[in-house]
Amino acid sequence: MQQNGRSMVEMLGVLAVIGILSVGALAGFNKAMTKHKLNQHLDGMNKILLSSYEISQKLPTDTGWTLYSDFLKNTNSIPDGFKYVSKQKILDNFQNQFYFYRTAVNTWGIFYYMNADEASALICSNLMLLAKENSHALYTVSRSTQNTQDDDYRISHKFYGHHYCKEGVSCLDDLTVAQIVDYCNYKIREEKTYNFWIEWK
């Protein structure tokens, strides 16, 4: 007698194959979305850096630490996917926050708070690549750790821009992609947050 239909074993096999394909498709989709967000992040931070630099060339120099993030808002320099919250808080598309400042010694910069998550190393690489591309305009780029107990910042390493690069210091111009990846693949510690300082004079 001829039987029609599929056995339970065959159906389970089909479902297992579909499940494996679905997991693979979802992983591929998530990877593509992360890459898209990283590209948006790089473009957005590049716009922020260039706009901040242009604004700094037009502002008067006075004494004291000053925040200028509102100038980015007022000149429509906040990229799509980024959100202005206050002078001390602009959110990027990964919900990391940063602000645009000037120090008492007339050094300008972007201070960037790094959230500790799976995208941290990739975002770090974005910031380092951005700094390398704009080395001619920058003074230094550094990463710092902030101890949550004493709120003290500790600079881990400094890289100097093109015009400030000399013997005995690390230069942005000399950075390779492999060195950037190595620099950014740090281990996130629970008691600390990581920050970036991108500065120019």
Side-chain angles (χ1 to χ4, degrees):
M1 183 181 292
Q2 185 177 1
Q3 292 183 338
N4 294 322
R6 304 289 183 187
S7 70
M8 183 63 73
V9 173
E10 288 175 318
M11 290 301 294
L12 288 174
V14 170
L15 290 174
V17 170
I18 291 173
I20 292 170
L21 292 175
S22 298
V23 169
L26 184 60
F29 176 75
N30 288 337
K31 186 175 181 180
M33 285 301 296
T34 299
K35 185 175 181 180
H36 175 68
K37 283 186 72 175
L38 285 167
N39 288 337
Q40 279 188 323
H41 177 266
L42 184 60
D43 291 341
M45 289 307 298
N46 186 58
K47 181 178 180 180
I48 288 290
L49 181 58
L50 294 178
S51 298
S52 299
Y53 183 83
E54 289 176 6
I55 290 169
S56 71
Q57 305 306 298
K58 300 173 184 176
L59 291 173
T61 57
D62 14 51
T63 58
W65 182 284
T66 310
L67 296 176
Y68 287 107
S69 297
D70 54 329
F71 279 74
L72 293 171
K73 178 186 177 184
N74 296 337
T75 55
N76 296 316
S77 300
I78 307 296
D80 292 338
F82 286 46
K83 181 181 179 182
Y84 175 88
V85 179
S86 67
K87 278 187 176 184
Q88 200 166 354
K89 189 176 184 181
I90 300 174
L91 297 175
D92 67 10
N93 60 332
F94 284 95
Q95 301 305 300
N96 293 307
Q97 67 183 59
F98 62 91
Y99 57 78
F100 169 34
Y101 66 90
R102 184 188 53 73
T103 69
V105 293
N106 205 34
T107 299
W108 306 81
I110 301 292
F111 182 54
Y112 187 97
Y113 295 90
M114 176 76 71
N115 289 332
D117 57 33
E118 64 277 1
S120 297
L122 298 173
I123 294 170
C124 167
S125 295
N126 263 1
L127 295 174
M128 293 302 294
L129 286 170
L130 180 63
K132 179 178 171 64
E133 290 172 4
N134 292 280
S135 171
H136 61 282
L138 297 181
Y139 172 45
T140 62
V141 174
S142 55
R143 191 184 73 223
S144 67
T145 57
Q146 182 182 2
N147 192 307
T148 54
Q149 293 180 349
D150 56 17
D151 202 33
D152 184 32
Y153 292 105
R154 296 175 179 85
I155 301 296
S156 62
H157 197 82
K158 277 192 176 184
F159 294 90
Y160 287 79
H162 180 77
H163 298 293
Y164 302 93
C165 190
K166 57 186 179 181
E167 189 176 350
V169 302
S170 299
C171 303
L172 286 170
D173 290 341
D174 299 335
L175 272 175
T176 66
V177 173
Q179 288 172 325
I180 289 174
V181 170
D182 183 61
Y183 180 71
C184 289
N185 280 335
Y186 49 80
K187 181 179 179 182
I188 300 294
R189 297 181 181 177
E190 292 181 2
E191 75 274 17
K192 293 179 179 178
T193 59
Y194 288 81
N195 313 297
F196 269 87
W197 309 74
I198 303 175
E199 296 188 322
W200 61 92
K201 290 185 176 182

